[in-house]
Amino acid sequence: MAVFIKRLTKTDIEKRLAIPTNSLEHFPGFNGRQGAYLKVKDRSHRLWTFRCSVRKTSYPKPVFSSGWLQFTQHYNLRIGDKITLRKQLKRDVSNGVKYKIEVQRKINLLGKDVWAHVL
């Protein structure tokens, strides 16, 4: 199940990934705190840990901060790339990893734009 799908912006690549607010319900572990760490696997089964945090204000805009920039640099992500964060099925969860991340890039193939997996 997709938690969110997003096209990356300059801020997403250079600072932090802004996450749709309606995705917060899929991130347990806040328990009154402003942040939690999420274990995420990419398509090559590499494990990443992202800190998901929310603002202190009344509008709780969530972001991925710690760990996110290393991910963008490792895969040379670009503005316009599409990211999908999926919640794994219970039977697929191992070692506390509850999420999968996929990145796609639009390429032109034989005159047609198609989305190709980056990872």
Side-chain angles (χ1 to χ4, degrees):
M1 170 178 106
V3 174
F4 67 85
I5 299 170
K6 183 178 183 198
R7 299 275 299 268
L8 298 178
T9 66
K10 182 176 181 179
T11 300
D12 294 330
I13 302 256
E14 295 178 355
K15 298 185 181 199
R16 65 197 154 275
L17 176 68
I19 301 167
T21 304
N22 62 359
S23 302
L24 268 178
E25 66 187 64
H26 299 284
F27 303 130
F30 282 91
N31 298 327
R33 296 174 296 169
Q34 281 186 271
Y37 288 93
L38 305 176
K39 292 183 180 180
V40 179
K41 276 193 181 176
D42 63 23
R43 285 178 51 93
S44 63
H45 303 286
R46 182 171 174 166
L47 179 65
W48 298 89
T49 302
F50 302 139
R51 177 171 165 70
C52 181
S53 58
V54 293
R55 296 178 183 164
K56 292 179 184 180
T57 63
S58 61
Y59 180 64
K61 181 69 176 169
V63 296
F64 283 173
S65 51
S66 300
W68 174 251
L69 290 182
Q70 292 85 351
F71 179 80
T72 64
Q73 293 164 1
H74 182 82
Y75 287 107
N76 193 29
L77 300 186
R78 303 176 192 163
I79 296 169
D81 286 350
K82 184 168 58 174
I83 192 147
T84 304
L85 187 77
R86 298 184 187 281
K87 198 167 189 178
Q88 297 195 97
L89 299 174
K90 289 188 181 206
R91 68 176 182 268
D92 294 337
V93 176
S94 63
N95 299 324
V97 179
K98 297 179 182 175
Y99 305 94
K100 290 182 185 179
I101 193 165
E102 298 175 359
V103 179
Q104 294 178 304
R105 182 168 294 147
K106 190 184 284 188
I107 61 170
N108 189 289
L109 184 64
L110 301 174
K112 292 190 177 188
D113 287 339
V114 296
W115 288 97
H117 286 283
V118 173
L119 312 177

